[in-house]
Amino acid sequence: MTFDAFIWKYYNAFIDYDLSYGNQCVDLYRQYCKEVLNVPQSPPISGAAKIWDTVDTNIFQKIPNTPLGVPQFGDIMIWNKNAGG
């Protein structure tokens, strides 16, 4: 599935990938990994900020937030716990 098709499929919709805790941002990440990227899922985590610490760097490239670290179309952005709680 393309990025655009994913956006339109889930536009204004809820995703509960793991059928636990209702729809959350981690569910969106997991659905995106499955349907668009077709990559293995990250290990279970206790919050979205932990994706950064547990993601497989053989699959994903970590790009820190810097003036040169500008997200590209389709990138997944992960905020730490200090960004909005």
Side-chain angles (χ1 to χ4, degrees):
M1 174 183 295
T2 67
F3 177 76
D4 286 337
F6 183 83
I7 296 300
W8 284 109
K9 180 178 180 179
Y10 294 108
Y11 179 77
N12 218 16
F14 297 108
I15 298 173
D16 188 6
Y17 182 85
D18 58 5
L19 302 177
S20 301
Y21 310 110
N23 55 299
Q24 298 186 16
C25 54
V26 173
D27 293 313
L28 180 62
Y29 158 77
R30 293 196 183 285
Q31 197 74 37
Y32 182 71
C33 286
K34 177 183 178 182
E35 291 191 37
V36 178
L37 303 178
N38 195 28
V39 297
Q41 293 293 327
S42 300
I45 52 172
S46 60
K50 300 233 177 177
I51 294 170
W52 180 267
D53 298 326
T54 61
V55 72
D56 185 344
T57 54
N58 293 314
I59 298 172
F60 293 100
Q61 177 186 6
K62 292 181 175 183
I63 303 171
N65 183 18
T66 68
L68 299 177
V70 179
Q72 301 297 308
F73 184 79
D75 282 355
I76 301 168
M77 300 188 323
I78 308 296
W79 282 268
N80 65 26
K81 289 185 177 184
N82 296 326

